[in-house]
Amino acid sequence: MTGKTAAEARRTSIGAQRNPASQDAILQAAEEILVENGLGSFSIEAVARRAHAGKPTIYRWWPNRAILLLDVYHRQKYVDIAPDTGTIETDIFQLLSGLFEFWSAGHGGAVFRSVIAEAQTDPAACKAVAAYMADRYRQGGEIFRRAKARGDVADWVVPELAMEIITSFAWKRLLTDRLDMTPEELRLVVRHLVHGFEVT
Amino acid sequence: MTGKTAAEARRTSIGAQRNPASQDAILQAAEEILVENGLGSFSIEAVARRAHAGKPTIYRWWPNRAILLLDVYHRQKYVDIAPDTGTIETDIFQLLSGLFEFWSAGHGGAVFRSVIAEAQTDPAACKAVAAYMADRYRQGGEIFRRAKARGDVADWVVPELAMEIITSFAWKRLLTDRLDMTPEELRLVVRHLVHGFEVT
DNA sequence: ATCTATAGAAACGGCCCGTTTCGATTGATG
DNA sequence: CATCAATCGAAACGGGCCGTTTCTATAGAT
């Protein structure tokens, strides 16, 4: 027992097994760097410094930047992707509203932006993101399956594709730094999505 | 006159003015690197080597990576963003189809992906991309203004917003490397966009 | 003829890459 | 209880790119 605080104390091996304290410190340091200084300042060296960890420790468990980024992102716990409010329109409003709030209020937005950017460099990360999104569409498609059962949504609508269209808009707003939408603006977007453009 | 070919010949100053040959060589080298090896291999040093240019020459005219990338992108000439086929549905189909073709067949896709990724690191580049897109929406909104005049599109539809929703889908497909769509799949997407999800 | 801004080459200190080496730690094994 | 094995953080490696500075050569403008 030294006089150092927990943050200053040097972590060491706990035997021939992974040290959860190091794992946490590394992931948290990585998240902090992303949120405070962005992907530009994100490097394994910087994470190691901030976490008081050795570079080999990081490389041992996260073979590259992209995997570390994905791990940071998956720690962010996310809002309900399939709210059930009774109407398709308010379901989608709730979904987008929650997503925008999650991205702008907390750390989720900064982290996810970084993941998407990294995916443009790393093909494996790109596939991982695409697979993750496909899973999201499957989950969120529940909104449309319920709505179909109620008779509120047309038969030919493909739940997963509709979800992709909806979240695509959210992506673009995130990537162009335009998450600040009023409820009225967001309602207008939802109207375009739900009613389409045609005169009915 | 040396025995060297044009590619090998060393360019030099043409006086106290910018040398267009150097400018072209640099932009072309930058594009080639992006297309062949991706943003990961894109560095000022690499561009300078490939273009047989001095780094100071690059830094003099393009203060940073992002500006050079944007310049490369703007050289790519783009498809018609506002086709006029007579119906809103085929207009949008044409637009998306042309965009996907432009992105996957030529160099446009690889370059634009890189620009978007860079924008996640560089706030100035992010604003530039957002402004560029806003301009695109204004141009492409013409599709909806024409359709409104024909009475094919509802009054409450905001042309720019509708365009943003449409191109958002294209962005997501580009960024997740899923540009390979059959005409049938694309038609289905367009139907979701135009008709919306609701039963009519 | 002189001035001036350009061109490319080379080298600078600094940072990060991914890897290797090292001594210390501690659970698992026999 | 002694040994083994895998982990930990620290430090250092050669290599690459950063953005800048210094250099010589070039050729239009004055």
Side-chain angles (χ1 to χ4, degrees), chain B residues 90-140:
Chain B
T90 49
D91 277 359
I92 296 177
F93 178 84
Q94 196 101 331
L95 168 61
L96 283 179
S97 176
L99 196 50
F100 279 36
E101 172 69 14
F102 170 70
W103 278 344
S104 44
H107 299 170
V111 174
F112 195 41
R113 285 180 70 159
S114 302
V115 169
I116 295 172
E118 189 72 13
Q120 305 314 307
T121 290
D122 185 320
C126 189
K127 285 198 173 182
V129 170
Y132 171 78
M133 291 310 296
D135 191 51
R136 283 311 224 178
Y137 303 152
R138 248 170 276 137
Q139 298 170 30

Side-chain angles (χ1 to χ4, degrees), chain A:
Chain A
M1 199 58 172
T2 75
K4 293 179 179 180
T5 68
E8 289 165 350
R10 172 176 172 170
R11 282 183 309 276
T12 181
S13 169
I14 58 169
Q17 55 183 333
R18 185 171 191 174
N19 187 339
S22 290
Q23 184 177 2
D24 286 347
I26 289 166
L27 285 171
Q28 178 161 349
E31 179 181 326
E32 288 169 0
I33 290 173
L34 276 186
V35 171
E36 291 174 17
N37 300 97
L39 188 57
S41 313
F42 186 86
S43 69
I44 300 295
E45 294 240 358
V47 172
R49 270 197 305 272
R50 180 150 192 160
H52 300 288
K55 285 202 291 176
T57 303
I58 299 182
Y59 280 108
R60 171 152 35 234
W61 302 108
W62 297 276
N64 56 55
R65 256 170 64 115
I67 292 178
L68 177 54
L69 281 171
L70 282 170
D71 210 355
V72 172
Y73 181 69
H74 284 129
R75 281 182 107 209
Q76 312 276 330
K77 44 186 114 10
Y78 173 51
V79 294
D80 185 11
I81 192 152
D84 187 2
T85 65
T87 71
I88 185 71
E89 195 146 355
T90 49
D91 278 359
I92 296 176
F93 178 85
Q94 196 101 334
L95 168 61
L96 283 178
S97 176
L99 196 48
F100 280 35
E101 170 71 15
F102 169 70
W103 278 345
S104 44
H107 298 169
V111 174
F112 196 41
R113 285 180 70 159
S114 303
V115 168
I116 295 172
E118 188 74 13
Q120 304 314 308
T121 290
D122 184 322
C126 189
K127 284 198 174 183
V129 169
Y132 172 78
M133 291 310 296
D135 191 51
R136 285 310 224 179
Y137 303 151
R138 250 169 274 137
Q139 297 170 30
E142 187 56 25
I143 288 179
F144 291 92
R145 285 179 219 109
R146 282 195 303 254
K148 278 188 180 182
R150 289 195 307 263
D152 292 344
V153 156
D155 283 340
W156 52 265
V157 167
V158 181
E160 290 76 16
L161 184 55
M163 281 301 297
E164 184 177 6
I165 290 171
I166 293 169
T167 54
S168 292
F169 178 80
W171 271 44
K172 177 121 88 175
R173 287 297 173 114
L174 173 68
L175 295 177
T176 52
D177 203 19
R178 286 156 62 231
L179 290 178
D180 54 326
M181 295 189 75
T182 66
E184 288 72 30
E185 291 172 325
L186 191 51
R187 246 186 293 273
L188 182 60
V189 171
V190 173
R191 192 188 307 168
H192 281 76
L193 290 167
V194 173
H195 296 301
F197 313 134
E198 272 191 334
V199 175
T200 52

Side-chain angles (χ1 to χ4, degrees), chain B residues 10 25 56 64 67 72 74 94 103 117 131 147 154 159 163 174 177 180 189-191:
Chain B
R10 170 174 172 171
N64 55 58
I67 292 179
V72 171
H74 284 131
Q94 196 101 331
W103 278 344
M163 280 301 297
L174 174 67
D177 202 20
D180 54 325
V189 171
V190 174
R191 191 188 307 168

Side-chain angles (χ1 to χ4, degrees), chain B:
Chain B
M1 200 59 174
T2 75
K4 295 180 177 179
T5 70
E8 289 166 347
R10 170 174 172 171
R11 282 182 311 275
T12 180
S13 170
I14 59 169
Q17 55 182 335
R18 187 172 191 175
N19 187 338
S22 291
Q23 184 177 2
D24 285 346
I26 289 165
L27 286 172
Q28 179 162 348
E31 179 181 326
E32 288 169 1
I33 290 173
L34 277 185
V35 172
E36 291 174 15
N37 299 99
L39 188 57
S41 312
F42 186 85
S43 69
I44 300 294
E45 293 242 356
V47 173
R49 268 196 306 271
R50 181 151 192 160
H52 300 288
K55 285 201 291 175
T57 303
I58 300 182
Y59 281 108
R60 171 153 33 236
W61 302 108
W62 297 275
N64 55 58
R65 255 171 64 114
I67 292 179
L68 178 54
L69 281 171
L70 282 170
D71 211 354
V72 171
Y73 181 68
H74 284 131
R75 281 181 108 210
Q76 312 277 329
K77 46 187 111 10
Y78 174 51
V79 294
D80 184 13
I81 192 152
D84 188 2
T85 65
T87 70
I88 185 71
E89 196 145 353
T90 49
D91 277 359
I92 296 177
F93 178 84
Q94 196 101 331
L95 168 61
L96 283 179
S97 176
L99 196 50
F100 279 36
E101 172 69 14
F102 170 70
W103 278 344
S104 44
H107 299 170
V111 174
F112 195 41
R113 285 180 70 159
S114 302
V115 169
I116 295 172
E118 189 72 13
Q120 305 314 307
T121 290
D122 185 320
C126 189
K127 285 198 173 182
V129 170
Y132 171 78
M133 291 310 296
D135 191 51
R136 283 311 224 178
Y137 303 152
R138 248 170 276 137
Q139 298 170 30
E142 186 58 24
I143 289 179
F144 290 94
R145 285 178 220 108
R146 282 195 303 255
K148 277 188 181 182
R150 289 195 308 263
D152 291 345
V153 155
D155 283 340
W156 53 265
V157 167
V158 181
E160 290 77 16
L161 185 54
M163 280 301 297
E164 184 177 5
I165 290 171
I166 293 168
T167 54
S168 292
F169 178 80
W171 272 44
K172 176 121 87 176
R173 286 298 172 112
L174 174 67
L175 296 176
T176 51
D177 202 20
R178 286 154 62 230
L179 290 179
D180 54 325
M181 294 189 75
T182 67
E184 289 72 30
E185 291 172 327
L186 192 50
R187 246 186 291 273
L188 182 59
V189 171
V190 174
R191 191 188 307 168
H192 281 76
L193 289 167
V194 173
H195 295 302
F197 313 134
E198 270 191 338
V199 174
T200 52

